[in-house]
Amino acid sequence: MPPARLLDLTRLVSRLGRGALTGVDRVELAYLQALLAGPVPLFGLVRTAAGFVLLDRRGAQGVADLATGARATGRADLLGRLTRRGQPDRARAEAAVRRLALARVPRPLLGWMLRRHLPGGVSYLNVGHANLTRAVMRAVQSLPGARVAVLVHDAIPLGYPQFTRAGISAVFGRKLAVVSAEADLVIYSTQDARARAEVHLARLGRVPPAVVAALGVPQPVPDAAALPPGLNLRGPWFVTVGTI
C-alpha cells in the first residue's frame, strides 16, 4: 500500500462560511475527496489561530462535509471567540475543526504532534499555498522518510504583480523560496504554469522534480441548456474563467 498522506486543509477551512469556494479552494476540496475515496491512510492538517490541528480520516471527512454543506459549522467555542475577534466565520470554522481533531498543539509543537501520531514515510501534500514555511516543512521532515509535494497553481504574483494585492508578490516569493529549498515534488496544473514557475525556481537556486496534473471538472458537465438564456452560441465567442 502507498504511504499515508497528510493533506494540508488550512486554505479550505479558512474559506468555510465565507460564500462560494474560489478556484484554489475547490482544488483542495477535490484532492480531499479523491483521497477520501481511496484506500490510502489519510490525515489532515489545519493551522488555526490557536495552533495546529491534526485530523484522522474521520476528521478529514468532516471537513469535506463542512465544505459541501453536508455538515453545519455550529457555534464558535470560547477559544475561537477569543482568537478570531471580529471574524465570526473563521471562529465557527476553527471550532468545528477542533471538535473533529485527533490532536492539537500550539504552533511550536507541530513536529512533536506529527511524530507522535503519524507513521513513517508519510507524504505531505500541500495544494492550497498555505503553510509554505520552513518551520512547517522541517516539522514534517522530522518524520522518518517523509516527503513533501506542493501544488504551485501559477506564478502570477511574480510575473504580473500588477494583478495582485499590495504585498502579495513578496509573500508569494517567500513561499516559492521554501518550495525551491524543501519540496521533493512540485505539481502543476498546466505546462505553461510549470515553465513560468521554474524560471523563478531556477533563480532561487533549485528546481525540484515536477509533474503536470491537469485539473478536472465535476461530472456531469453542464450542457447548453444550463447556459444563460439568449446567449448566442453560433459565435464568434470566447470564455474566460478565473478569479482576476
Side-chain angles (χ1 to χ4, degrees), residues 34-240:
L35 290 170
L36 285 169
V40 178
L42 176 62
F43 297 87
L45 181 67
V46 179
R47 187 189 75 245
T48 72
F52 284 96
V53 173
L54 182 66
L55 305 167
D56 57 13
R57 177 176 286 269
R58 180 191 67 86
Q61 180 65 63
V63 171
D65 292 341
L66 289 167
T68 59
R71 178 197 291 254
T73 54
R75 300 182 63 181
D77 56 11
L78 178 60
L79 186 58
R81 293 194 296 272
L82 291 174
T83 57
R84 291 293 185 186
R85 291 179 182 271
Q87 298 177 290
D89 294 329
R90 293 290 294 273
R92 287 191 291 268
E94 292 183 1
V97 169
R98 280 190 286 271
R99 288 190 284 267
L100 295 167
L102 171 65
R104 55 190 179 97
V105 293
R107 296 186 187 189
L109 297 180
L110 174 60
W112 173 84
M113 179 178 71
L114 297 180
R115 292 190 298 273
R116 182 179 183 188
H117 293 282
L118 297 187
V122 68
S123 290
Y124 170 67
L125 184 57
N126 186 312
V127 302
H129 288 186
N131 292 329
L132 291 179
T133 67
R134 294 189 185 276
V136 170
M137 297 300 159
R138 299 293 165 78
V140 171
Q141 291 164 346
S142 71
L143 289 161
R147 293 180 61 80
V148 173
V150 178
L151 196 163
V152 174
H153 291 261
D154 56 62
I156 288 174
L158 298 181
Y160 300 94
Q162 67 270 29
F163 294 139
T164 63
R165 297 188 304 277
I168 293 299
S169 295
V171 171
F172 183 81
R174 290 193 293 270
K175 291 182 177 183
L176 203 62
V178 172
V179 173
S180 175
E182 309 292 348
D184 297 295
L185 177 71
V186 181
I187 305 167
Y188 300 98
S189 56
T190 67
Q191 292 285 359
D192 182 74
R194 177 178 181 175
R196 293 173 185 270
E198 288 187 344
V199 170
H200 300 287
L201 290 167
R203 292 171 181 161
L204 290 165
R206 175 176 175 264
V207 180
V211 295
V212 174
L215 302 178
V217 294
Q219 294 292 335
V221 178
D223 58 21
L227 295 172
L231 183 65
N232 178 12
L233 296 180
R234 292 185 296 273
W237 57 277
F238 69 93
V239 175
T240 178

